[in-house]
PDB file of all heavy atoms in Angstrom:
ATOM      1  N   GLU A 101       7.411  10.222 -17.484  1.00 75.00           N
ATOM      2  CA  GLU A 101       8.567   9.661 -16.781  1.00 75.00           C
ATOM      3  C   GLU A 101       9.781   9.543 -17.698  1.00 75.00           C
ATOM      4  O   GLU A 101      10.919   9.804 -17.287  1.00 75.00           O
ATOM      5  CB  GLU A 101       8.205   8.292 -16.209  1.00 75.00           C
ATOM      6  CG  GLU A 101       9.319   7.621 -15.431  1.00 75.00           C
ATOM      7  CD  GLU A 101       8.923   6.237 -14.956  1.00 75.00           C
ATOM      8  OE1 GLU A 101       7.846   6.110 -14.348  1.00 75.00           O
ATOM      9  OE2 GLU A 101       9.687   5.296 -15.194  1.00 75.00           O
ATOM     10  N   GLU A 102       9.553   9.160 -18.948  1.00 82.00           N
ATOM     11  CA  GLU A 102      10.667   8.966 -19.888  1.00 82.00           C
ATOM     12  C   GLU A 102      11.387  10.281 -20.164  1.00 82.00           C
ATOM     13  O   GLU A 102      12.624  10.343 -20.160  1.00 82.00           O
ATOM     14  CB  GLU A 102      10.146   8.357 -21.195  1.00 82.00           C
ATOM     15  CG  GLU A 102      11.229   7.856 -22.134  1.00 82.00           C
ATOM     16  CD  GLU A 102      12.043   6.709 -21.547  1.00 82.00           C
ATOM     17  OE1 GLU A 102      11.495   5.926 -20.756  1.00 82.00           O
ATOM     18  OE2 GLU A 102      13.245   6.614 -21.892  1.00 82.00           O
ATOM     19  N   ALA A 103      10.620  11.358 -20.412  1.00 82.00           N
ATOM     20  CA  ALA A 103      11.230  12.657 -20.675  1.00 82.00           C
ATOM     21  C   ALA A 103      11.968  13.173 -19.446  1.00 82.00           C
ATOM     22  O   ALA A 103      13.063  13.740 -19.541  1.00 82.00           O
ATOM     23  CB  ALA A 103      10.158  13.661 -21.116  1.00 82.00           C
ATOM     24  N   MET A 104      11.364  12.975 -18.271  1.00 84.00           N
ATOM     25  CA  MET A 104      12.013  13.421 -17.045  1.00 84.00           C
ATOM     26  C   MET A 104      13.307  12.651 -16.808  1.00 84.00           C
ATOM     27  O   MET A 104      14.316  13.216 -16.357  1.00 84.00           O
ATOM     28  CB  MET A 104      11.053  13.251 -15.862  1.00 84.00           C
ATOM     29  CG  MET A 104      11.517  13.933 -14.582  1.00 84.00           C
ATOM     30  SD  MET A 104      10.295  13.800 -13.250  1.00 84.00           S
ATOM     31  CE  MET A 104       9.030  14.944 -13.821  1.00 84.00           C
ATOM     32  N   LYS A 105      13.290  11.378 -17.130  1.00 89.00           N
ATOM     33  CA  LYS A 105      14.481  10.540 -16.959  1.00 89.00           C
ATOM     34  C   LYS A 105      15.660  11.083 -17.762  1.00 89.00           C
ATOM     35  O   LYS A 105      16.785  11.193 -17.250  1.00 89.00           O
ATOM     36  CB  LYS A 105      14.159   9.100 -17.394  1.00 89.00           C
ATOM     37  CG  LYS A 105      15.313   8.123 -17.205  1.00 89.00           C
ATOM     38  CD  LYS A 105      14.901   6.712 -17.591  1.00 89.00           C
ATOM     39  CE  LYS A 105      14.799   6.556 -19.092  1.00 89.00           C
ATOM     40  NZ  LYS A 105      14.593   5.142 -19.479  1.00 89.00           N
ATOM     41  N   GLU A 106      15.404  11.464 -18.999  1.00 88.00           N
ATOM     42  CA  GLU A 106      16.478  11.984 -19.850  1.00 88.00           C
ATOM     43  C   GLU A 106      16.946  13.368 -19.385  1.00 88.00           C
ATOM     44  O   GLU A 106      18.124  13.707 -19.508  1.00 88.00           O
ATOM     45  CB  GLU A 106      16.011  12.036 -21.308  1.00 88.00           C
ATOM     46  CG  GLU A 106      15.747  10.662 -21.902  1.00 88.00           C
ATOM     47  CD  GLU A 106      16.913   9.700 -21.682  1.00 88.00           C
ATOM     48  OE1 GLU A 106      18.072  10.073 -21.985  1.00 88.00           O
ATOM     49  OE2 GLU A 106      16.671   8.578 -21.200  1.00 88.00           O
ATOM     50  N   ALA A 107      16.012  14.155 -18.833  1.00 88.00           N
ATOM     51  CA  ALA A 107      16.376  15.505 -18.383  1.00 88.00           C
ATOM     52  C   ALA A 107      17.300  15.473 -17.169  1.00 88.00           C
ATOM     53  O   ALA A 107      18.180  16.324 -17.027  1.00 88.00           O
ATOM     54  CB  ALA A 107      15.102  16.299 -18.055  1.00 88.00           C
ATOM     55  N   ILE A 108      17.114  14.480 -16.303  1.00 91.00           N
ATOM     56  CA  ILE A 108      17.919  14.434 -15.084  1.00 91.00           C
ATOM     57  C   ILE A 108      19.171  13.571 -15.233  1.00 91.00           C
ATOM     58  O   ILE A 108      20.024  13.561 -14.338  1.00 91.00           O
ATOM     59  CB  ILE A 108      17.087  13.919 -13.892  1.00 91.00           C
ATOM     60  CG1 ILE A 108      16.609  12.483 -14.153  1.00 91.00           C
ATOM     61  CG2 ILE A 108      15.922  14.853 -13.599  1.00 91.00           C
ATOM     62  CD1 ILE A 108      15.843  11.869 -12.982  1.00 91.00           C
ATOM     63  N   ARG A 109      19.303  12.863 -16.343  1.00 94.00           N
ATOM     64  CA  ARG A 109      20.434  11.945 -16.530  1.00 94.00           C
ATOM     65  C   ARG A 109      21.792  12.631 -16.322  1.00 94.00           C
ATOM     66  O   ARG A 109      22.652  12.109 -15.585  1.00 94.00           O
ATOM     67  CB  ARG A 109      20.367  11.302 -17.923  1.00 94.00           C
ATOM     68  CG  ARG A 109      21.480  10.306 -18.197  1.00 94.00           C
ATOM     69  CD  ARG A 109      21.474   9.846 -19.656  1.00 94.00           C
ATOM     70  NE  ARG A 109      20.277   9.087 -19.978  1.00 94.00           N
ATOM     71  CZ  ARG A 109      20.159   7.773 -19.790  1.00 94.00           C
ATOM     72  NH1 ARG A 109      21.179   7.079 -19.292  1.00 94.00           N
ATOM     73  NH2 ARG A 109      19.047   7.142 -20.116  1.00 94.00           N
ATOM     74  N   PRO A 110      22.043  13.832 -16.932  1.00 93.00           N
ATOM     75  CA  PRO A 110      23.358  14.467 -16.737  1.00 93.00           C
ATOM     76  C   PRO A 110      23.654  14.787 -15.271  1.00 93.00           C
ATOM     77  O   PRO A 110      24.785  14.633 -14.819  1.00 93.00           O
ATOM     78  CB  PRO A 110      23.256  15.745 -17.578  1.00 93.00           C
ATOM     79  CG  PRO A 110      22.206  15.452 -18.595  1.00 93.00           C
ATOM     80  CD  PRO A 110      21.212  14.591 -17.892  1.00 93.00           C
ATOM     81  N   PHE A 111      22.635  15.251 -14.547  1.00 94.00           N
ATOM     82  CA  PHE A 111      22.846  15.567 -13.138  1.00 94.00           C
ATOM     83  C   PHE A 111      23.194  14.306 -12.342  1.00 94.00           C
ATOM     84  O   PHE A 111      24.150  14.284 -11.559  1.00 94.00           O
ATOM     85  CB  PHE A 111      21.596  16.228 -12.546  1.00 94.00           C
ATOM     86  CG  PHE A 111      21.675  16.466 -11.057  1.00 94.00           C
ATOM     87  CD1 PHE A 111      22.470  17.480 -10.543  1.00 94.00           C
ATOM     88  CD2 PHE A 111      20.963  15.659 -10.168  1.00 94.00           C
ATOM     89  CE1 PHE A 111      22.561  17.692  -9.169  1.00 94.00           C
ATOM     90  CE2 PHE A 111      21.050  15.866  -8.791  1.00 94.00           C
ATOM     91  CZ  PHE A 111      21.847  16.887  -8.297  1.00 94.00           C
ATOM     92  N   VAL A 112      22.427  13.245 -12.571  1.00 96.00           N
ATOM     93  CA  VAL A 112      22.600  12.012 -11.797  1.00 96.00           C
ATOM     94  C   VAL A 112      23.973  11.386 -12.023  1.00 96.00           C
ATOM     95  O   VAL A 112      24.658  10.993 -11.069  1.00 96.00           O
ATOM     96  CB  VAL A 112      21.477  11.007 -12.136  1.00 96.00           C
ATOM     97  CG1 VAL A 112      21.761   9.638 -11.499  1.00 96.00           C
ATOM     98  CG2 VAL A 112      20.120  11.537 -11.659  1.00 96.00           C
ATOM     99  N   PHE A 113      24.391  11.328 -13.290  1.00 97.00           N
ATOM    100  CA  PHE A 113      25.624  10.602 -13.597  1.00 97.00           C
ATOM    101  C   PHE A 113      26.857  11.500 -13.746  1.00 97.00           C
ATOM    102  O   PHE A 113      27.929  11.166 -13.255  1.00 97.00           O
ATOM    103  CB  PHE A 113      25.426   9.769 -14.862  1.00 97.00           C
ATOM    104  CG  PHE A 113      24.425   8.653 -14.706  1.00 97.00           C
ATOM    105  CD1 PHE A 113      23.249   8.640 -15.442  1.00 97.00           C
ATOM    106  CD2 PHE A 113      24.642   7.628 -13.791  1.00 97.00           C
ATOM    107  CE1 PHE A 113      22.328   7.622 -15.294  1.00 97.00           C
ATOM    108  CE2 PHE A 113      23.713   6.604 -13.626  1.00 97.00           C
ATOM    109  CZ  PHE A 113      22.554   6.595 -14.383  1.00 97.00           C
ATOM    110  N   ASP A 114      26.701  12.654 -14.416  1.00 95.00           N
ATOM    111  CA  ASP A 114      27.866  13.506 -14.668  1.00 95.00           C
ATOM    112  C   ASP A 114      28.247  14.350 -13.459  1.00 95.00           C
ATOM    113  O   ASP A 114      29.436  14.529 -13.166  1.00 95.00           O
ATOM    114  CB  ASP A 114      27.602  14.419 -15.874  1.00 95.00           C
ATOM    115  CG  ASP A 114      27.342  13.625 -17.152  1.00 95.00           C
ATOM    116  OD1 ASP A 114      27.736  12.437 -17.196  1.00 95.00           O
ATOM    117  OD2 ASP A 114      26.738  14.184 -18.086  1.00 95.00           O
ATOM    118  N   ILE A 115      27.247  14.888 -12.765  1.00 95.00           N
ATOM    119  CA  ILE A 115      27.532  15.758 -11.623  1.00 95.00           C
ATOM    120  C   ILE A 115      27.620  14.967 -10.319  1.00 95.00           C
ATOM    121  O   ILE A 115      28.558  15.124  -9.546  1.00 95.00           O
ATOM    122  CB  ILE A 115      26.463  16.871 -11.514  1.00 95.00           C
ATOM    123  CG1 ILE A 115      26.538  17.774 -12.755  1.00 95.00           C
ATOM    124  CG2 ILE A 115      26.645  17.688 -10.241  1.00 95.00           C
ATOM    125  CD1 ILE A 115      25.477  18.849 -12.808  1.00 95.00           C
ATOM    126  N   CYS A 116      26.631  14.085 -10.084  1.00 96.00           N
ATOM    127  CA  CYS A 116      26.603  13.331  -8.830  1.00 96.00           C
ATOM    128  C   CYS A 116      27.531  12.111  -8.853  1.00 96.00           C
ATOM    129  O   CYS A 116      27.856  11.568  -7.792  1.00 96.00           O
ATOM    130  CB  CYS A 116      25.185  12.873  -8.518  1.00 96.00           C
ATOM    131  SG  CYS A 116      23.999  14.214  -8.278  1.00 96.00           S
ATOM    132  N   LYS A 117      27.909  11.667 -10.059  1.00 96.00           N
ATOM    133  CA  LYS A 117      28.770  10.494 -10.218  1.00 96.00           C
ATOM    134  C   LYS A 117      28.139   9.247  -9.587  1.00 96.00           C
ATOM    135  O   LYS A 117      28.827   8.378  -9.042  1.00 96.00           O
ATOM    136  CB  LYS A 117      30.155  10.732  -9.585  1.00 96.00           C
ATOM    137  CG  LYS A 117      30.853  12.000 -10.048  1.00 96.00           C
ATOM    138  CD  LYS A 117      31.162  11.966 -11.529  1.00 96.00           C
ATOM    139  CE  LYS A 117      31.918  13.227 -11.971  1.00 96.00           C
ATOM    140  NZ  LYS A 117      32.127  13.275 -13.432  1.00 96.00           N
ATOM    141  N   ALA A 118      26.809   9.183  -9.664  1.00 97.00           N
ATOM    142  CA  ALA A 118      26.109   8.017  -9.113  1.00 97.00           C
ATOM    143  C   ALA A 118      26.307   6.807 -10.014  1.00 97.00           C
ATOM    144  O   ALA A 118      26.430   6.938 -11.236  1.00 97.00           O
ATOM    145  CB  ALA A 118      24.618   8.321  -8.967  1.00 97.00           C
ATOM    146  N   GLU A 119      26.328   5.636  -9.405  1.00 95.00           N
ATOM    147  CA  GLU A 119      26.426   4.390 -10.158  1.00 95.00           C
ATOM    148  C   GLU A 119      25.033   3.797 -10.332  1.00 95.00           C
ATOM    149  O   GLU A 119      24.196   3.876  -9.436  1.00 95.00           O
ATOM    150  CB  GLU A 119      27.314   3.378  -9.428  1.00 95.00           C
ATOM    151  CG  GLU A 119      28.788   3.708  -9.440  1.00 95.00           C
ATOM    152  CD  GLU A 119      29.605   2.571  -8.864  1.00 95.00           C
ATOM    153  OE1 GLU A 119      29.297   1.396  -9.173  1.00 95.00           O
ATOM    154  OE2 GLU A 119      30.538   2.852  -8.090  1.00 95.00           O
ATOM    155  N   ALA A 120      24.808   3.194 -11.493  1.00 95.00           N
ATOM    156  CA  ALA A 120      23.517   2.567 -11.772  1.00 95.00           C
ATOM    157  C   ALA A 120      23.489   1.175 -11.135  1.00 95.00           C
ATOM    158  O   ALA A 120      23.593   0.143 -11.817  1.00 95.00           O
ATOM    159  CB  ALA A 120      23.285   2.485 -13.279  1.00 95.00           C
ATOM    160  N   ASN A 121      23.364   1.136  -9.807  1.00 92.00           N
ATOM    161  CA  ASN A 121      23.393  -0.140  -9.097  1.00 92.00           C
ATOM    162  C   ASN A 121      22.109  -0.411  -8.315  1.00 92.00           C
ATOM    163  O   ASN A 121      22.103  -1.148  -7.338  1.00 92.00           O
ATOM    164  CB  ASN A 121      24.609  -0.212  -8.166  1.00 92.00           C
ATOM    165  CG  ASN A 121      24.689   0.976  -7.197  1.00 92.00           C
ATOM    166  OD1 ASN A 121      23.737   1.742  -7.073  1.00 92.00           O
ATOM    167  ND2 ASN A 121      25.815   1.117  -6.535  1.00 92.00           N
ATOM    168  N   TRP A 122      21.010   0.231  -8.749  1.00 91.00           N
ATOM    169  CA  TRP A 122      19.692  -0.014  -8.129  1.00 91.00           C
ATOM    170  C   TRP A 122      19.064  -1.233  -8.778  1.00 91.00           C
ATOM    171  O   TRP A 122      18.691  -1.224  -9.946  1.00 91.00           O
ATOM    172  CB  TRP A 122      18.801   1.215  -8.292  1.00 91.00           C
ATOM    173  CG  TRP A 122      17.305   0.982  -8.250  1.00 91.00           C
ATOM    174  CD1 TRP A 122      16.419   1.164  -9.275  1.00 91.00           C
ATOM    175  CD2 TRP A 122      16.517   0.552  -7.135  1.00 91.00           C
ATOM    176  NE1 TRP A 122      15.146   0.879  -8.871  1.00 91.00           N
ATOM    177  CE2 TRP A 122      15.175   0.494  -7.555  1.00 91.00           C
ATOM    178  CE3 TRP A 122      16.825   0.200  -5.823  1.00 91.00           C
ATOM    179  CZ2 TRP A 122      14.134   0.111  -6.727  1.00 91.00           C
ATOM    180  CZ3 TRP A 122      15.787  -0.190  -4.986  1.00 91.00           C
ATOM    181  CH2 TRP A 122      14.463  -0.225  -5.435  1.00 91.00           C
ATOM    182  N   ASN A 123      18.969  -2.317  -8.032  1.00 92.00           N
ATOM    183  CA  ASN A 123      18.243  -3.507  -8.462  1.00 92.00           C
ATOM    184  C   ASN A 123      17.767  -4.237  -7.222  1.00 92.00           C
ATOM    185  O   ASN A 123      18.184  -3.934  -6.100  1.00 92.00           O
ATOM    186  CB  ASN A 123      19.111  -4.416  -9.353  1.00 92.00           C
ATOM    187  CG  ASN A 123      20.393  -4.841  -8.660  1.00 92.00           C
ATOM    188  OD1 ASN A 123      20.365  -5.452  -7.597  1.00 92.00           O
ATOM    189  ND2 ASN A 123      21.539  -4.505  -9.269  1.00 92.00           N
ATOM    190  N   MET A 124      16.870  -5.185  -7.397  1.00 93.00           N
ATOM    191  CA  MET A 124      16.252  -5.827  -6.243  1.00 93.00           C
ATOM    192  C   MET A 124      17.232  -6.678  -5.436  1.00 93.00           C
ATOM    193  O   MET A 124      17.108  -6.774  -4.214  1.00 93.00           O
ATOM    194  CB  MET A 124      15.060  -6.672  -6.690  1.00 93.00           C
ATOM    195  CG  MET A 124      13.794  -5.869  -6.811  1.00 93.00           C
ATOM    196  SD  MET A 124      13.390  -5.029  -5.237  1.00 93.00           S
ATOM    197  CE  MET A 124      12.530  -3.592  -5.862  1.00 93.00           C
ATOM    198  N   LYS A 125      18.199  -7.273  -6.096  1.00 93.00           N
ATOM    199  CA  LYS A 125      19.185  -8.062  -5.356  1.00 93.00           C
ATOM    200  C   LYS A 125      19.945  -7.166  -4.384  1.00 93.00           C
ATOM    201  O   LYS A 125      20.113  -7.505  -3.204  1.00 93.00           O
ATOM    202  CB  LYS A 125      20.162  -8.729  -6.329  1.00 93.00           C
ATOM    203  CG  LYS A 125      21.187  -9.614  -5.649  1.00 93.00           C
ATOM    204  CD  LYS A 125      22.084 -10.317  -6.664  1.00 93.00           C
ATOM    205  CE  LYS A 125      23.088 -11.222  -5.967  1.00 93.00           C
ATOM    206  NZ  LYS A 125      23.959 -11.934  -6.934  1.00 93.00           N
ATOM    207  N   ASN A 126      20.392  -6.006  -4.847  1.00 90.00           N
ATOM    208  CA  ASN A 126      21.104  -5.065  -3.983  1.00 90.00           C
ATOM    209  C   ASN A 126      20.181  -4.462  -2.928  1.00 90.00           C
ATOM    210  O   ASN A 126      20.580  -4.240  -1.784  1.00 90.00           O
ATOM    211  CB  ASN A 126      21.746  -3.958  -4.808  1.00 90.00           C
ATOM    212  CG  ASN A 126      22.921  -4.456  -5.625  1.00 90.00           C
ATOM    213  OD1 ASN A 126      23.494  -5.491  -5.313  1.00 90.00           O
ATOM    214  ND2 ASN A 126      23.276  -3.726  -6.666  1.00 90.00           N
ATOM    215  N   PHE A 127      18.920  -4.156  -3.331  1.00 91.00           N
ATOM    216  CA  PHE A 127      17.963  -3.598  -2.375  1.00 91.00           C
ATOM    217  C   PHE A 127      17.733  -4.565  -1.215  1.00 91.00           C
ATOM    218  O   PHE A 127      17.761  -4.171  -0.044  1.00 91.00           O
ATOM    219  CB  PHE A 127      16.632  -3.286  -3.075  1.00 91.00           C
ATOM    220  CG  PHE A 127      15.559  -2.801  -2.132  1.00 91.00           C
ATOM    221  CD1 PHE A 127      15.516  -1.478  -1.733  1.00 91.00           C
ATOM    222  CD2 PHE A 127      14.607  -3.681  -1.628  1.00 91.00           C
ATOM    223  CE1 PHE A 127      14.531  -1.028  -0.848  1.00 91.00           C
ATOM    224  CE2 PHE A 127      13.628  -3.243  -0.744  1.00 91.00           C
ATOM    225  CZ  PHE A 127      13.593  -1.910  -0.360  1.00 91.00           C
ATOM    226  N   VAL A 128      17.520  -5.836  -1.549  1.00 95.00           N
ATOM    227  CA  VAL A 128      17.293  -6.842  -0.508  1.00 95.00           C
ATOM    228  C   VAL A 128      18.506  -6.950   0.409  1.00 95.00           C
ATOM    229  O   VAL A 128      18.380  -6.974   1.639  1.00 95.00           O
ATOM    230  CB  VAL A 128      16.944  -8.212  -1.132  1.00 95.00           C
ATOM    231  CG1 VAL A 128      17.000  -9.317  -0.075  1.00 95.00           C
ATOM    232  CG2 VAL A 128      15.566  -8.162  -1.777  1.00 95.00           C
ATOM    233  N   ALA A 129      19.696  -6.984  -0.188  1.00 93.00           N
ATOM    234  CA  ALA A 129      20.914  -7.085   0.618  1.00 93.00           C
ATOM    235  C   ALA A 129      21.065  -5.889   1.551  1.00 93.00           C
ATOM    236  O   ALA A 129      21.403  -6.043   2.733  1.00 93.00           O
ATOM    237  CB  ALA A 129      22.135  -7.207  -0.302  1.00 93.00           C
ATOM    238  N   ASP A 130      20.805  -4.695   1.027  1.00 88.00           N
ATOM    239  CA  ASP A 130      20.904  -3.482   1.850  1.00 88.00           C
ATOM    240  C   ASP A 130      19.880  -3.499   2.982  1.00 88.00           C
ATOM    241  O   ASP A 130      20.191  -3.156   4.131  1.00 88.00           O
ATOM    242  CB  ASP A 130      20.701  -2.235   0.988  1.00 88.00           C
ATOM    243  CG  ASP A 130      21.922  -1.881   0.158  1.00 88.00           C
ATOM    244  OD1 ASP A 130      22.960  -2.541   0.340  1.00 88.00           O
ATOM    245  OD2 ASP A 130      21.835  -0.955  -0.661  1.00 88.00           O
ATOM    246  N   GLN A 131      18.640  -3.882   2.676  1.00 93.00           N
ATOM    247  CA  GLN A 131      17.590  -3.872   3.690  1.00 93.00           C
ATOM    248  C   GLN A 131      17.827  -4.932   4.751  1.00 93.00           C
ATOM    249  O   GLN A 131      17.549  -4.702   5.931  1.00 93.00           O
ATOM    250  CB  GLN A 131      16.215  -4.054   3.035  1.00 93.00           C
ATOM    251  CG  GLN A 131      15.762  -2.874   2.188  1.00 93.00           C
ATOM    252  CD  GLN A 131      15.739  -1.569   2.958  1.00 93.00           C
ATOM    253  OE1 GLN A 131      15.339  -1.516   4.119  1.00 93.00           O
ATOM    254  NE2 GLN A 131      16.160  -0.491   2.308  1.00 93.00           N
ATOM    255  N   VAL A 132      18.342  -6.085   4.358  1.00 96.00           N
ATOM    256  CA  VAL A 132      18.673  -7.119   5.343  1.00 96.00           C
ATOM    257  C   VAL A 132      19.704  -6.589   6.334  1.00 96.00           C
ATOM    258  O   VAL A 132      19.575  -6.759   7.556  1.00 96.00           O
ATOM    259  CB  VAL A 132      19.198  -8.391   4.639  1.00 96.00           C
ATOM    260  CG1 VAL A 132      19.891  -9.322   5.635  1.00 96.00           C
ATOM    261  CG2 VAL A 132      18.057  -9.127   3.953  1.00 96.00           C
ATOM    262  N   GLU A 133      20.709  -5.886   5.821  1.00 94.00           N
ATOM    263  CA  GLU A 133      21.739  -5.301   6.687  1.00 94.00           C
ATOM    264  C   GLU A 133      21.146  -4.238   7.610  1.00 94.00           C
ATOM    265  O   GLU A 133      21.445  -4.191   8.809  1.00 94.00           O
ATOM    266  CB  GLU A 133      22.850  -4.700   5.828  1.00 94.00           C
ATOM    267  CG  GLU A 133      23.989  -4.091   6.620  1.00 94.00           C
ATOM    268  CD  GLU A 133      25.077  -3.500   5.735  1.00 94.00           C
ATOM    269  OE1 GLU A 133      25.237  -3.974   4.592  1.00 94.00           O
ATOM    270  OE2 GLU A 133      25.757  -2.562   6.183  1.00 94.00           O
ATOM    271  N   LEU A 134      20.277  -3.369   7.042  1.00 93.00           N
ATOM    272  CA  LEU A 134      19.663  -2.307   7.841  1.00 93.00           C
ATOM    273  C   LEU A 134      18.723  -2.870   8.908  1.00 93.00           C
ATOM    274  O   LEU A 134      18.670  -2.365  10.031  1.00 93.00           O
ATOM    275  CB  LEU A 134      18.903  -1.340   6.925  1.00 93.00           C
ATOM    276  CG  LEU A 134      19.763  -0.448   6.025  1.00 93.00           C
ATOM    277  CD1 LEU A 134      18.894   0.267   4.996  1.00 93.00           C
ATOM    278  CD2 LEU A 134      20.547   0.557   6.855  1.00 93.00           C
ATOM    279  N   ILE A 135      17.973  -3.911   8.563  1.00 96.00           N
ATOM    280  CA  ILE A 135      17.051  -4.539   9.521  1.00 96.00           C
ATOM    281  C   ILE A 135      17.840  -5.143  10.679  1.00 96.00           C
ATOM    282  O   ILE A 135      17.496  -4.958  11.857  1.00 96.00           O
ATOM    283  CB  ILE A 135      16.194  -5.623   8.827  1.00 96.00           C
ATOM    284  CG1 ILE A 135      15.195  -4.979   7.856  1.00 96.00           C
ATOM    285  CG2 ILE A 135      15.444  -6.457   9.862  1.00 96.00           C
ATOM    286  CD1 ILE A 135      14.551  -5.966   6.902  1.00 96.00           C
ATOM    287  N   ARG A 136      18.919  -5.853  10.355  1.00 97.00           N
ATOM    288  CA  ARG A 136      19.739  -6.473  11.405  1.00 97.00           C
ATOM    289  C   ARG A 136      20.362  -5.413  12.312  1.00 97.00           C
ATOM    290  O   ARG A 136      20.435  -5.589  13.533  1.00 97.00           O
ATOM    291  CB  ARG A 136      20.828  -7.338  10.772  1.00 97.00           C
ATOM    292  CG  ARG A 136      20.286  -8.617  10.134  1.00 97.00           C
ATOM    293  CD  ARG A 136      21.354  -9.362   9.366  1.00 97.00           C
ATOM    294  NE  ARG A 136      20.817 -10.604   8.806  1.00 97.00           N
ATOM    295  CZ  ARG A 136      21.448 -11.346   7.901  1.00 97.00           C
ATOM    296  NH1 ARG A 136      22.648 -10.967   7.448  1.00 97.00           N
ATOM    297  NH2 ARG A 136      20.900 -12.450   7.444  1.00 97.00           N
ATOM    298  N   LYS A 137      20.768  -4.307  11.712  1.00 95.00           N
ATOM    299  CA  LYS A 137      21.355  -3.219  12.495  1.00 95.00           C
ATOM    300  C   LYS A 137      20.313  -2.587  13.411  1.00 95.00           C
ATOM    301  O   LYS A 137      20.586  -2.269  14.573  1.00 95.00           O
ATOM    302  CB  LYS A 137      21.941  -2.170  11.550  1.00 95.00           C
ATOM    303  CG  LYS A 137      22.616  -1.001  12.260  1.00 95.00           C
ATOM    304  CD  LYS A 137      23.203  -0.027  11.247  1.00 95.00           C
ATOM    305  CE  LYS A 137      23.854   1.164  11.950  1.00 95.00           C
ATOM    306  NZ  LYS A 137      24.400   2.138  10.965  1.00 95.00           N
TER     307      LYS A 137
END
Side-chain angles (χ1 to χ4, degrees):
E101 181 183 309
E102 192 63 31
M104 191 176 287
K105 182 177 74 172
E106 294 310 310
I108 62 177
R109 181 188 294 273
F111 174 74
V112 171
F113 294 116
D114 299 340
I115 296 176
C116 298
K117 307 297 182 185
E119 288 188 42
N121 54 11
W122 156 246
N123 57 58
M124 275 303 150
K125 182 177 181 179
N126 289 339
F127 176 82
V128 168
D130 283 354
Q131 291 304 320
V132 165
E133 181 180 333
L134 290 170
I135 290 166
R136 289 173 178 168
K137 182 178 179 181

